[in-house]
Amino acid sequence: MSDTVRDYQVIIVGAGFAGVAAAQRLAKERIRTLLIDRNNYQQFQPLLYQVATAQLAANDVAAPLRSLFRKHPSVRVLTAEVSSIDARDRSVTLPDGTVFRSDVLVISAGAEVNYFGTPGADEFSYPLYSVDDATALASSLVEQLDRADTAAATHGDCEPIDVVVVGGGPTGVETAGAIGETIERVLPHYFHDAVPRRCTVHLVDHGDTVLKPFSEKLQRYTRRSLERLGVVMLMGTGVSEVRADGVTLSDGSTLPAHVVVWAGGLKARSVVASAGLETGRGGRVDVDADLTAPGVPGVYVLGDAANIPDGSGGTLPQLGSVAMQSGKWAGRNIVADLTGGQRRPFGYVDKGFMAMIGRMSAVAEVGPKRIELTGPLAFASWLAVHAALLPQARARIGALASWPRDYLSRSRSQFVVGNRPR
Ligand SMILES: Cc1cc2nc3c(=O)[nH]c(=O)nc-3n(C[C@H](O)[C@H](O)[C@H](O)COP(=O)(O)OP(=O)(O)OC[C@H]3O[C@@H](n4cnc5c(N)ncnc54)[C@H](O)[C@@H]3O)c2cc1C
Protein backbone atom coordinates (compact mmCIF):
# COMPACT_ATOMS: atom_id res chain seq x y z
CA MET A 1 0.00 0.00 0.00
CA SER A 2 1.34 3.38 -0.94
CA ASP A 3 0.75 6.29 1.37
CA THR A 4 1.18 9.23 -0.96
CA VAL A 5 0.17 12.68 0.17
CA ARG A 6 -0.26 15.34 -2.49
CA ASP A 7 -1.37 18.81 -1.60
CA TYR A 8 -4.06 20.75 -3.41
CA GLN A 9 -5.69 24.04 -2.48
CA VAL A 10 -9.12 22.48 -2.90
CA ILE A 11 -10.29 18.88 -3.14
CA ILE A 12 -13.80 18.16 -4.38
CA VAL A 13 -15.28 14.71 -3.79
CA GLY A 14 -18.01 14.05 -6.36
CA ALA A 15 -18.41 15.60 -9.79
CA GLY A 16 -22.18 15.92 -10.03
CA PHE A 17 -24.15 19.16 -10.38
CA ALA A 18 -22.64 20.60 -7.17
CA GLY A 19 -19.02 19.47 -7.55
CA VAL A 20 -18.75 20.51 -11.20
CA ALA A 21 -20.33 23.93 -10.53
CA ALA A 22 -17.89 24.53 -7.66
CA ALA A 23 -14.90 23.43 -9.77
CA GLN A 24 -15.97 25.66 -12.66
CA ARG A 25 -16.11 28.66 -10.32
CA LEU A 26 -12.66 27.84 -8.88
CA ALA A 27 -11.24 27.32 -12.38
CA LYS A 28 -11.99 30.98 -13.18
CA GLU A 29 -9.57 31.99 -10.41
CA ARG A 30 -7.03 29.29 -11.38
CA ILE A 31 -7.23 27.73 -7.93
CA ARG A 32 -5.40 24.37 -7.81
CA THR A 33 -8.26 21.93 -7.51
CA LEU A 34 -8.48 18.15 -7.46
CA LEU A 35 -11.90 16.96 -8.67
CA ILE A 36 -12.42 13.28 -7.83
CA ASP A 37 -15.25 11.08 -9.06
CA ARG A 38 -15.60 7.32 -9.42
CA ASN A 39 -16.75 7.97 -13.00
CA ASN A 40 -14.84 9.88 -15.66
CA TYR A 41 -18.08 11.64 -16.60
CA GLN A 42 -20.71 13.85 -15.01
CA GLN A 43 -24.03 12.06 -15.06
CA PHE A 44 -27.29 13.89 -15.54
CA GLN A 45 -29.66 12.15 -13.15
CA PRO A 46 -32.90 13.89 -14.20
CA LEU A 47 -32.78 12.09 -17.56
CA LEU A 48 -31.79 8.62 -16.32
CA TYR A 49 -35.37 7.38 -16.64
CA GLN A 50 -35.17 8.24 -20.38
CA VAL A 51 -32.10 6.02 -20.69
CA ALA A 52 -33.97 3.28 -18.84
CA THR A 53 -36.83 3.49 -21.35
CA ALA A 54 -34.60 3.71 -24.44
CA GLN A 55 -35.51 7.34 -25.21
CA LEU A 56 -31.92 8.52 -24.84
CA ALA A 57 -28.56 6.80 -25.15
CA ALA A 58 -26.33 6.55 -22.07
CA ASN A 59 -23.87 8.92 -23.78
CA ASP A 60 -26.54 11.65 -23.95
CA VAL A 61 -26.63 11.90 -20.16
CA ALA A 62 -22.91 11.56 -19.42
CA ALA A 63 -20.53 14.47 -20.03
CA PRO A 64 -16.83 13.53 -19.98
CA LEU A 65 -15.21 15.45 -17.11
CA ARG A 66 -11.87 15.90 -18.87
CA SER A 67 -13.66 17.59 -21.76
CA LEU A 68 -15.55 19.88 -19.37
CA PHE A 69 -12.25 21.03 -17.85
CA ARG A 70 -9.92 20.74 -20.86
CA LYS A 71 -9.37 24.50 -20.96
CA HIS A 72 -8.76 24.69 -17.21
CA PRO A 73 -5.39 23.17 -16.29
CA SER A 74 -5.82 24.30 -12.67
CA VAL A 75 -8.52 21.62 -12.26
CA ARG A 76 -7.09 18.10 -12.16
CA VAL A 77 -9.73 15.45 -12.84
CA LEU A 78 -9.11 12.15 -11.08
CA THR A 79 -11.18 9.03 -11.77
CA ALA A 80 -11.11 7.14 -8.50
CA GLU A 81 -13.32 5.82 -5.74
CA VAL A 82 -12.87 7.74 -2.50
CA SER A 83 -12.97 5.12 0.23
CA SER A 84 -12.92 7.51 3.18
CA ILE A 85 -12.87 11.17 4.07
CA ASP A 86 -11.25 12.79 7.10
CA ALA A 87 -13.02 16.13 7.41
CA ARG A 88 -10.87 17.48 10.29
CA ASP A 89 -7.69 16.68 8.35
CA ARG A 90 -9.31 17.89 5.08
CA SER A 91 -8.01 14.74 3.40
CA VAL A 92 -9.40 11.86 1.39
CA THR A 93 -8.12 8.31 1.04
CA LEU A 94 -8.33 6.07 -2.03
CA PRO A 95 -8.66 2.27 -1.81
CA ASP A 96 -4.88 1.79 -2.41
CA GLY A 97 -4.05 3.98 0.60
CA THR A 98 -3.21 7.12 -1.37
CA VAL A 99 -4.06 10.21 0.67
CA PHE A 100 -4.78 13.64 -0.80
CA ARG A 101 -4.87 16.62 1.53
CA SER A 102 -6.11 20.16 0.88
CA ASP A 103 -6.66 23.61 2.38
CA VAL A 104 -10.37 23.38 1.60
CA LEU A 105 -12.37 20.19 1.24
CA VAL A 106 -15.69 20.02 -0.63
CA ILE A 107 -17.95 17.02 -0.10
CA SER A 108 -20.44 16.75 -2.96
CA ALA A 109 -20.82 12.97 -3.25
CA GLY A 110 -24.59 13.10 -3.80
CA ALA A 111 -27.17 10.53 -2.79
CA GLU A 112 -27.82 6.82 -3.14
CA VAL A 113 -30.87 4.64 -2.90
CA ASN A 114 -32.46 4.09 0.50
CA TYR A 115 -34.28 0.76 0.79
CA PHE A 116 -35.30 1.49 4.40
CA GLY A 117 -34.34 -2.10 5.26
CA THR A 118 -37.02 -3.61 2.99
CA PRO A 119 -36.16 -7.32 2.62
CA GLY A 120 -35.14 -8.29 -0.92
CA ALA A 121 -35.17 -4.72 -2.26
CA ASP A 122 -31.39 -4.59 -2.64
CA GLU A 123 -31.29 -7.93 -4.46
CA PHE A 124 -34.40 -7.81 -6.63
CA SER A 125 -35.13 -4.19 -7.49
CA TYR A 126 -33.52 -1.62 -9.75
CA PRO A 127 -32.56 1.77 -8.33
CA LEU A 128 -32.11 4.76 -10.66
CA TYR A 129 -29.16 6.85 -9.44
CA SER A 130 -26.49 6.25 -12.06
CA VAL A 131 -26.01 5.60 -15.75
CA ASP A 132 -25.19 1.98 -14.85
CA ASP A 133 -28.48 1.69 -12.94
CA ALA A 134 -30.37 3.08 -15.95
CA THR A 135 -28.73 0.76 -18.49
CA ALA A 136 -29.26 -2.25 -16.18
CA LEU A 137 -32.98 -1.37 -15.92
CA ALA A 138 -33.20 -0.80 -19.70
CA SER A 139 -31.63 -4.21 -20.32
CA SER A 140 -33.95 -5.92 -17.91
CA LEU A 141 -37.03 -4.35 -19.54
CA VAL A 142 -35.81 -5.21 -23.05
CA GLU A 143 -35.02 -8.77 -22.00
CA GLN A 144 -38.58 -9.21 -20.67
CA LEU A 145 -40.03 -7.77 -23.89
CA ASP A 146 -37.84 -9.97 -26.11
CA ARG A 147 -38.85 -13.04 -24.12
CA ALA A 148 -42.56 -12.17 -24.43
CA ASP A 149 -42.18 -11.36 -28.14
CA THR A 150 -40.59 -14.73 -28.83
CA ALA A 151 -43.41 -16.52 -26.98
CA ALA A 152 -46.05 -14.47 -28.84
CA ALA A 153 -44.41 -15.18 -32.20
CA THR A 154 -44.29 -18.93 -31.52
CA HIS A 155 -47.58 -19.42 -29.58
CA GLY A 156 -49.64 -16.36 -30.57
CA ASP A 157 -49.68 -15.09 -26.97
CA CYS A 158 -47.32 -14.49 -24.09
CA GLU A 159 -47.21 -14.45 -20.29
CA PRO A 160 -48.03 -11.11 -18.62
CA ILE A 161 -45.19 -8.69 -17.89
CA ASP A 162 -45.69 -6.78 -14.66
CA VAL A 163 -43.57 -3.78 -13.76
CA VAL A 164 -43.81 -2.35 -10.24
CA VAL A 165 -42.50 1.14 -9.56
CA VAL A 166 -42.07 1.82 -5.85
CA GLY A 167 -42.43 5.49 -4.85
CA GLY A 168 -44.74 8.19 -6.19
CA GLY A 169 -42.27 11.09 -6.08
CA PRO A 170 -40.95 12.74 -9.25
CA THR A 171 -38.59 9.83 -10.06
CA GLY A 172 -41.33 7.21 -9.66
CA VAL A 173 -43.90 9.27 -11.59
CA GLU A 174 -41.53 10.02 -14.47
CA THR A 175 -40.40 6.38 -14.67
CA ALA A 176 -43.92 4.93 -14.46
CA GLY A 177 -45.16 7.48 -17.04
CA ALA A 178 -42.29 6.74 -19.43
CA ILE A 179 -42.77 2.96 -19.19
CA GLY A 180 -46.57 3.35 -19.52
CA GLU A 181 -46.14 5.52 -22.59
CA THR A 182 -43.61 3.11 -24.09
CA ILE A 183 -46.15 0.31 -23.72
CA GLU A 184 -49.01 2.41 -25.17
CA ARG A 185 -47.32 4.23 -28.01
CA VAL A 186 -44.06 2.57 -28.89
CA LEU A 187 -44.21 -1.20 -28.32
CA PRO A 188 -46.94 -1.77 -30.94
CA HIS A 189 -44.44 -0.56 -33.57
CA TYR A 190 -41.67 -2.93 -32.49
CA PHE A 191 -43.18 -6.07 -30.92
CA HIS A 192 -45.90 -8.65 -31.56
CA ASP A 193 -49.25 -7.07 -30.68
CA ALA A 194 -49.76 -9.51 -27.77
CA VAL A 195 -46.79 -7.95 -25.94
CA PRO A 196 -48.18 -4.46 -25.13
CA ARG A 197 -51.57 -6.00 -24.26
CA ARG A 198 -49.91 -8.16 -21.60
CA CYS A 199 -47.76 -5.41 -20.01
CA THR A 200 -48.91 -3.61 -16.85
CA VAL A 201 -47.20 -0.90 -14.80
CA HIS A 202 -48.13 -0.49 -11.12
CA LEU A 203 -47.14 2.60 -9.16
CA VAL A 204 -47.09 1.98 -5.39
CA ASP A 205 -46.75 4.61 -2.69
CA HIS A 206 -47.32 4.75 1.09
CA GLY A 207 -48.97 8.16 0.82
CA ASP A 208 -52.43 8.91 -0.47
CA THR A 209 -51.15 10.86 -3.47
CA VAL A 210 -48.33 11.16 -5.98
CA LEU A 211 -45.96 14.14 -6.14
CA LYS A 212 -46.31 15.28 -2.51
CA PRO A 213 -44.62 18.68 -2.89
CA PHE A 214 -46.93 19.74 -5.76
CA SER A 215 -50.38 21.35 -5.43
CA GLU A 216 -53.52 19.18 -5.23
CA LYS A 217 -54.54 20.31 -8.70
CA LEU A 218 -51.26 19.11 -10.20
CA GLN A 219 -51.43 15.88 -8.22
CA ARG A 220 -54.91 15.19 -9.65
CA TYR A 221 -53.69 16.00 -13.18
CA THR A 222 -50.71 13.65 -12.73
CA ARG A 223 -52.86 10.84 -11.47
CA ARG A 224 -55.34 11.17 -14.36
CA SER A 225 -52.51 11.35 -16.91
CA LEU A 226 -50.82 8.25 -15.53
CA GLU A 227 -54.11 6.35 -15.49
CA ARG A 228 -54.67 7.34 -19.13
CA LEU A 229 -51.32 5.70 -19.90
CA GLY A 230 -52.59 2.51 -18.25
CA VAL A 231 -50.57 2.88 -15.03
CA VAL A 232 -52.35 1.15 -12.13
CA MET A 233 -52.13 3.40 -9.07
CA LEU A 234 -51.80 1.73 -5.67
CA MET A 235 -51.75 4.58 -3.17
CA GLY A 236 -51.82 4.25 0.62
CA THR A 237 -49.82 1.06 0.61
CA GLY A 238 -46.11 0.32 0.85
CA VAL A 239 -43.92 -2.49 -0.41
CA SER A 240 -42.80 -4.59 2.55
CA GLU A 241 -40.78 -7.20 0.65
CA VAL A 242 -39.37 -7.68 -2.83
CA ARG A 243 -38.93 -11.18 -4.20
CA ALA A 244 -37.62 -12.57 -7.49
CA ASP A 245 -41.20 -13.02 -8.73
CA GLY A 246 -43.07 -10.14 -7.11
CA VAL A 247 -43.62 -7.85 -4.17
CA THR A 248 -45.52 -8.09 -0.90
CA LEU A 249 -47.54 -5.02 0.03
CA SER A 250 -47.94 -3.65 3.55
CA ASP A 251 -51.48 -5.10 3.84
CA GLY A 252 -50.03 -8.60 3.23
CA SER A 253 -51.31 -8.92 -0.35
CA THR A 254 -48.91 -9.71 -3.18
CA LEU A 255 -48.33 -8.45 -6.70
CA PRO A 256 -46.49 -10.34 -9.40
CA ALA A 257 -43.50 -8.40 -10.75
CA HIS A 258 -40.94 -9.16 -13.42
CA VAL A 259 -39.20 -5.83 -12.98
CA VAL A 260 -39.26 -3.73 -9.79
CA VAL A 261 -37.98 -0.15 -9.93
CA TRP A 262 -37.07 1.30 -6.52
CA ALA A 263 -37.77 5.04 -6.44
CA GLY A 264 -38.78 4.87 -2.80
CA GLY A 265 -36.19 7.07 -1.11
CA LEU A 266 -32.67 8.37 -0.97
CA LYS A 267 -29.91 9.03 1.55
CA ALA A 268 -26.46 10.61 1.41
CA ARG A 269 -23.74 8.42 -0.18
CA SER A 270 -22.06 6.15 2.34
CA VAL A 271 -18.68 7.90 1.94
CA VAL A 272 -20.25 11.00 3.56
CA ALA A 273 -20.73 9.05 6.80
CA SER A 274 -17.00 8.25 6.90
CA ALA A 275 -16.06 11.94 7.15
CA GLY A 276 -16.56 12.17 10.92
CA LEU A 277 -19.13 14.95 10.57
CA GLU A 278 -22.41 15.06 12.42
CA THR A 279 -25.19 13.90 10.10
CA GLY A 280 -28.91 14.59 10.24
CA ARG A 281 -31.95 13.61 8.18
CA GLY A 282 -31.17 11.17 5.35
CA GLY A 283 -27.56 10.79 6.55
CA ARG A 284 -26.90 14.29 5.19
CA VAL A 285 -24.71 16.88 6.91
CA ASP A 286 -26.65 19.78 8.47
CA VAL A 287 -24.56 22.62 7.07
CA ASP A 288 -24.41 26.25 8.19
CA ALA A 289 -25.97 28.95 6.03
CA ASP A 290 -22.64 29.54 4.25
CA LEU A 291 -22.56 25.81 3.26
CA THR A 292 -19.71 24.90 5.62
CA ALA A 293 -19.81 22.00 8.08
CA PRO A 294 -20.47 23.40 11.58
CA GLY A 295 -17.32 23.68 13.70
CA VAL A 296 -15.01 22.17 11.07
CA PRO A 297 -13.04 24.93 9.33
CA GLY A 298 -12.44 24.64 5.60
CA VAL A 299 -15.03 21.96 4.89
CA TYR A 300 -18.03 22.50 2.62
CA VAL A 301 -20.87 20.01 2.07
CA LEU A 302 -23.11 20.58 -0.94
CA GLY A 303 -26.08 19.33 -2.95
CA ASP A 304 -27.68 15.98 -2.05
CA ALA A 305 -25.00 15.34 0.61
CA ALA A 306 -26.23 18.28 2.71
CA ASN A 307 -29.28 19.52 4.57
CA ILE A 308 -29.08 23.16 3.47
CA PRO A 309 -31.09 25.66 5.54
CA ASP A 310 -33.88 27.32 3.54
CA GLY A 311 -33.84 30.46 5.68
CA SER A 312 -37.21 29.77 7.33
CA GLY A 313 -36.44 26.87 9.63
CA GLY A 314 -36.58 24.07 7.04
CA THR A 315 -34.13 22.69 4.52
CA LEU A 316 -33.97 22.91 0.73
CA PRO A 317 -35.09 19.87 -1.31
CA GLN A 318 -32.69 17.49 -3.08
CA LEU A 319 -32.84 19.07 -6.52
CA GLY A 320 -30.42 19.66 -9.36
CA SER A 321 -30.97 23.43 -9.13
CA VAL A 322 -30.15 23.44 -5.40
CA ALA A 323 -27.02 21.36 -6.02
CA MET A 324 -25.83 23.50 -8.92
CA GLN A 325 -26.45 26.80 -7.14
CA SER A 326 -24.85 25.53 -3.93
CA GLY A 327 -21.77 24.53 -5.97
CA LYS A 328 -21.44 27.96 -7.55
CA TRP A 329 -22.00 29.67 -4.21
CA ALA A 330 -19.48 27.50 -2.40
CA GLY A 331 -16.98 28.28 -5.17
CA ARG A 332 -17.39 31.99 -4.43
CA ASN A 333 -17.06 31.45 -0.67
CA ILE A 334 -13.93 29.34 -1.17
CA VAL A 335 -12.37 32.12 -3.26
CA ALA A 336 -13.18 34.44 -0.32
CA ASP A 337 -11.58 31.97 2.14
CA LEU A 338 -8.38 31.78 0.10
CA THR A 339 -8.10 35.50 -0.59
CA GLY A 340 -9.01 36.89 2.81
CA GLY A 341 -12.57 37.85 1.81
CA GLN A 342 -15.88 37.28 3.62
CA ARG A 343 -18.03 34.17 3.17
CA ARG A 344 -21.71 34.89 2.50
CA PRO A 345 -24.81 32.88 3.45
CA PHE A 346 -26.23 30.87 0.52
CA GLY A 347 -29.00 32.71 -1.33
CA TYR A 348 -31.05 30.14 -3.24
CA VAL A 349 -33.03 31.40 -6.22
CA ASP A 350 -36.14 29.23 -6.24
CA LYS A 351 -37.13 28.43 -9.82
CA GLY A 352 -39.81 25.90 -8.80
CA PHE A 353 -39.98 22.29 -9.86
CA MET A 354 -41.47 20.10 -12.56
CA ALA A 355 -42.14 16.50 -13.53
CA MET A 356 -42.63 14.88 -16.92
CA ILE A 357 -45.44 12.35 -17.29
CA GLY A 358 -45.42 11.64 -21.01
CA ARG A 359 -45.79 13.19 -24.44
CA MET A 360 -47.44 16.64 -24.12
CA SER A 361 -48.10 15.89 -20.48
CA ALA A 362 -46.15 17.32 -17.56
CA VAL A 363 -46.66 19.41 -14.42
CA ALA A 364 -44.65 22.39 -13.26
CA GLU A 365 -44.70 24.94 -10.46
CA VAL A 366 -42.58 27.75 -11.78
CA GLY A 367 -40.76 30.43 -9.80
CA PRO A 368 -41.12 31.53 -6.17
CA LYS A 369 -44.79 32.39 -6.80
CA ARG A 370 -45.39 28.79 -7.88
CA ILE A 371 -47.21 29.48 -11.13
CA GLU A 372 -48.87 26.19 -12.05
CA LEU A 373 -48.52 24.72 -15.53
CA THR A 374 -49.91 21.46 -16.93
CA GLY A 375 -50.10 19.79 -20.33
CA PRO A 376 -48.21 20.96 -23.44
CA LEU A 377 -46.95 24.18 -21.81
CA ALA A 378 -45.44 22.28 -18.86
CA PHE A 379 -44.13 19.64 -21.30
CA ALA A 380 -42.40 22.31 -23.43
CA SER A 381 -40.99 24.01 -20.30
CA TRP A 382 -39.66 20.68 -19.05
CA LEU A 383 -37.87 19.99 -22.35
CA ALA A 384 -36.42 23.53 -22.50
CA VAL A 385 -35.21 23.51 -18.88
CA HIS A 386 -33.66 20.04 -19.12
CA ALA A 387 -31.98 20.72 -22.47
CA ALA A 388 -30.49 23.93 -21.05
CA LEU A 389 -29.27 22.14 -17.92
CA LEU A 390 -27.40 19.43 -19.85
CA PRO A 391 -23.74 20.03 -19.10
CA GLN A 392 -22.36 19.80 -22.63
CA ALA A 393 -23.30 20.87 -26.14
CA ARG A 394 -22.79 17.28 -27.37
CA ALA A 395 -25.30 15.94 -24.84
CA ARG A 396 -27.73 18.76 -25.71
CA ILE A 397 -27.52 17.90 -29.39
CA GLY A 398 -28.07 14.19 -28.62
CA ALA A 399 -31.18 14.94 -26.55
CA LEU A 400 -32.55 17.48 -29.01
CA ALA A 401 -32.13 14.95 -31.82
CA SER A 402 -33.78 12.11 -29.84
CA TRP A 403 -36.77 13.97 -28.35
CA PRO A 404 -38.54 15.00 -31.59
CA ARG A 405 -37.93 11.52 -33.04
CA ASP A 406 -39.33 9.96 -29.89
CA TYR A 407 -42.28 12.25 -29.18
CA LEU A 408 -43.33 12.78 -32.81
CA SER A 409 -42.49 9.55 -34.59
CA ARG A 410 -42.68 6.96 -31.76
CA SER A 411 -39.28 5.68 -32.78
CA ARG A 412 -36.85 4.31 -30.17
CA SER A 413 -33.45 3.74 -31.68
CA GLN A 414 -31.95 2.67 -28.34
CA PHE A 415 -34.17 -0.38 -27.89
CA VAL A 416 -31.44 -2.93 -28.46
CA VAL A 417 -28.62 -1.47 -26.41
CA GLY A 418 -27.68 -1.72 -22.76
CA ASN A 419 -25.60 -3.91 -20.51
CA ARG A 420 -26.77 -7.35 -19.64
CA PRO A 421 -29.05 -7.42 -16.60
CA ARG A 422 -27.59 -8.10 -13.18
C1 LIG B 1 -33.82 9.67 -11.31
C2 LIG B 1 -33.66 11.08 -10.81
C3 LIG B 1 -34.38 12.11 -11.41
C4 LIG B 1 -34.20 13.43 -10.98
N1 LIG B 1 -34.91 14.43 -11.59
C5 LIG B 1 -34.67 15.72 -11.24
C6 LIG B 1 -35.30 16.80 -11.92
O1 LIG B 1 -36.07 16.59 -12.87
N2 LIG B 1 -35.02 18.07 -11.54
C7 LIG B 1 -34.14 18.33 -10.52
O2 LIG B 1 -33.89 19.50 -10.21
N3 LIG B 1 -33.54 17.33 -9.83
C8 LIG B 1 -33.78 16.04 -10.17
N4 LIG B 1 -33.17 15.03 -9.49
C9 LIG B 1 -32.29 15.36 -8.37
C10 LIG B 1 -30.91 15.80 -8.85
O3 LIG B 1 -30.46 14.95 -9.88
C11 LIG B 1 -29.97 15.77 -7.67
O4 LIG B 1 -30.49 16.63 -6.68
C12 LIG B 1 -28.58 16.22 -8.07
O5 LIG B 1 -28.01 15.35 -9.01
C13 LIG B 1 -27.67 16.30 -6.86
O6 LIG B 1 -26.42 16.76 -7.29
P1 LIG B 1 -25.12 16.44 -6.47
O7 LIG B 1 -24.00 17.12 -7.18
O8 LIG B 1 -25.33 16.75 -5.04
O9 LIG B 1 -24.96 14.85 -6.55
P2 LIG B 1 -24.80 13.90 -7.82
O10 LIG B 1 -25.30 14.54 -9.05
O11 LIG B 1 -25.40 12.60 -7.41
O12 LIG B 1 -23.22 13.73 -7.93
C14 LIG B 1 -22.48 13.05 -6.96
C15 LIG B 1 -21.24 12.49 -7.60
O13 LIG B 1 -20.41 11.92 -6.59
C16 LIG B 1 -19.80 10.75 -7.08
N5 LIG B 1 -19.43 9.90 -5.95
C17 LIG B 1 -20.24 9.45 -4.97
N6 LIG B 1 -19.56 8.72 -4.08
C18 LIG B 1 -18.27 8.70 -4.51
C19 LIG B 1 -17.07 8.10 -4.02
N7 LIG B 1 -17.06 7.38 -2.89
N8 LIG B 1 -15.95 8.27 -4.72
C20 LIG B 1 -15.92 9.00 -5.86
N9 LIG B 1 -17.03 9.59 -6.37
C21 LIG B 1 -18.19 9.46 -5.70
C22 LIG B 1 -20.87 10.14 -7.98
O14 LIG B 1 -20.28 9.29 -8.95
C23 LIG B 1 -21.52 11.37 -8.60
O15 LIG B 1 -20.93 11.71 -9.83
C24 LIG B 1 -33.32 13.70 -9.90
C25 LIG B 1 -32.63 12.67 -9.29
C26 LIG B 1 -32.78 11.35 -9.75
C27 LIG B 1 -32.01 10.25 -9.10
Side-chain angles (χ1 to χ4, degrees):
M1 286 233 297
S2 67
D3 186 23
T4 319
V5 178
R6 305 228 170 84
D7 289 307
Y8 285 85
Q9 283 177 286
V10 180
I11 292 177
I12 301 176
V13 181
F17 282 113
V20 165
Q24 282 169 332
R25 183 66 188 80
L26 298 173
K28 285 189 188 161
E29 311 296 328
R30 298 205 171 89
I31 289 171
R32 258 184 316 111
T33 301
L34 181 65
L35 176 62
I36 312 179
D37 200 291
R38 58 158 64 102
N39 300 313
N40 63 4
Y41 52 82
Q42 180 192 1
Q43 58 195 12
F44 191 72
Q45 285 182 340
L47 292 179
L48 289 178
Y49 81 92
Q50 297 205 354
V51 175
T53 51
Q55 285 173 277
L56 292 177
N59 269 354
D60 295 336
V61 301
L65 290 169
R66 290 190 177 82
S67 300
L68 285 180
F69 290 99
R70 74 186 188 286
K71 292 188 180 154
H72 300 288
S74 62
V75 177
R76 167 93 162 86
V77 171
L78 185 72
T79 306
E81 180 79 25
V82 170
S83 48
S84 66
I85 298 173
D86 184 338
R88 273 159 226 286
D89 190 39
R90 294 189 297 275
S91 67
V92 301
T93 305
L94 308 189
D96 68 356
T98 305
V99 177
F100 291 102
R101 186 168 288 121
S102 57
D103 299 328
V104 178
L105 176 65
V106 177
I107 302 173
S108 49
E112 63 188 24
V113 62
N114 192 347
Y115 294 115
F116 298 105
T118 309
D122 185 17
E123 195 178 352
F124 298 117
S125 69
Y126 288 87
L128 205 46
Y129 282 93
S130 67
V131 173
D132 287 345
D133 291 344
T135 52
L137 174 56
S139 296
S140 176
L141 288 167
V142 171
E143 191 181 74
Q144 294 296 333
L145 295 172
D146 277 338
R147 189 182 49 76
D149 192 58
T150 306
T154 48
H155 308 299
D157 201 0
C158 57
E159 295 285 313
I161 301 178
D162 289 284
V163 178
V164 172
V165 179
V166 186
T171 302
V173 163
E174 291 188 334
T175 308
I179 299 175
E181 184 164 77
T182 304
I183 295 167
E184 277 267 306
R185 295 182 56 245
V186 183
L187 293 194
H189 299 274
Y190 286 86
F191 293 90
H192 189 287
D193 60 7
V195 177
R197 264 194 287 113
R198 305 288 265 151
C199 289
T200 311
V201 184
H202 306 263
L203 180 61
V204 184
D205 195 287
H206 276 299
D208 53 4
T209 178
V210 288
L211 297 183
K212 275 261 175 53
F214 290 68
S215 73
E216 272 182 34
K217 181 181 147 203
L218 299 193
Q219 290 167 355
R220 274 197 305 276
Y221 175 91
T222 304
R223 198 177 171 131
R224 274 199 312 272
S225 305
L226 287 170
E227 282 168 347
R228 263 201 295 273
L229 290 171
V231 176
V232 178
M233 312 286 287
L234 292 167
M235 298 292 107
T237 184
V239 166
S240 58
E241 186 185 3
V242 185
R243 287 168 282 100
D245 60 351
V247 299
T248 304
L249 301 177
S250 42
D251 63 4
S253 62
T254 58
L255 266 183
H258 299 85
V259 179
V260 179
V261 183
W262 193 273
L266 79 174
K267 59 183 181 192
R269 290 261 179 197
S270 46
V271 73
V272 176
S274 73
L277 297 169
E278 209 145 303
T279 54
R281 206 164 147 252
R284 295 179 285 267
V285 177
D286 296 328
V287 291
D288 284 338
D290 60 7
L291 303 170
T292 57
V296 189
V299 177
Y300 288 78
V301 191
L302 310 176
D304 281 4
N307 290 318
I308 302 176
D310 64 3
S312 49
T315 56
L316 293 171
Q318 278 67 57
L319 284 176
S321 51
V322 174
M324 200 182 281
Q325 290 184 40
S326 70
K328 278 187 198 162
W329 200 280
R332 259 182 251 138
N333 277 350
I334 293 168
V335 173
D337 285 340
L338 296 174
T339 56
Q342 274 289 315
R343 279 201 294 270
R344 289 172 48 222
F346 179 42
Y348 177 59
V349 180
D350 186 352
K351 296 180 180 164
F353 34 78
M354 44 183 60
M356 172 71 97
I357 303 160
R359 181 173 165 270
M360 296 297 167
S361 174
V363 287
E365 292 190 17
V366 183
K369 292 205 171 138
R370 295 276 181 265
I371 296 164
E372 294 180 5
L373 304 177
T374 56
L377 204 53
F379 175 79
S381 313
W382 189 99
L383 292 182
V385 165
H386 286 75
L389 279 175
L390 279 165
Q392 251 207 337
R394 186 191 52 74
R396 224 167 288 141
I397 291 163
L400 290 175
S402 293
W403 283 336
R405 190 180 57 225
D406 183 57
Y407 290 121
L408 299 175
S409 76
R410 304 165 190 215
S411 142
R412 292 273 163 97
S413 58
Q414 316 298 335
F415 249 135
V416 292
V417 297
N419 299 331
R420 302 309 302 160
R422 294 182 296 173

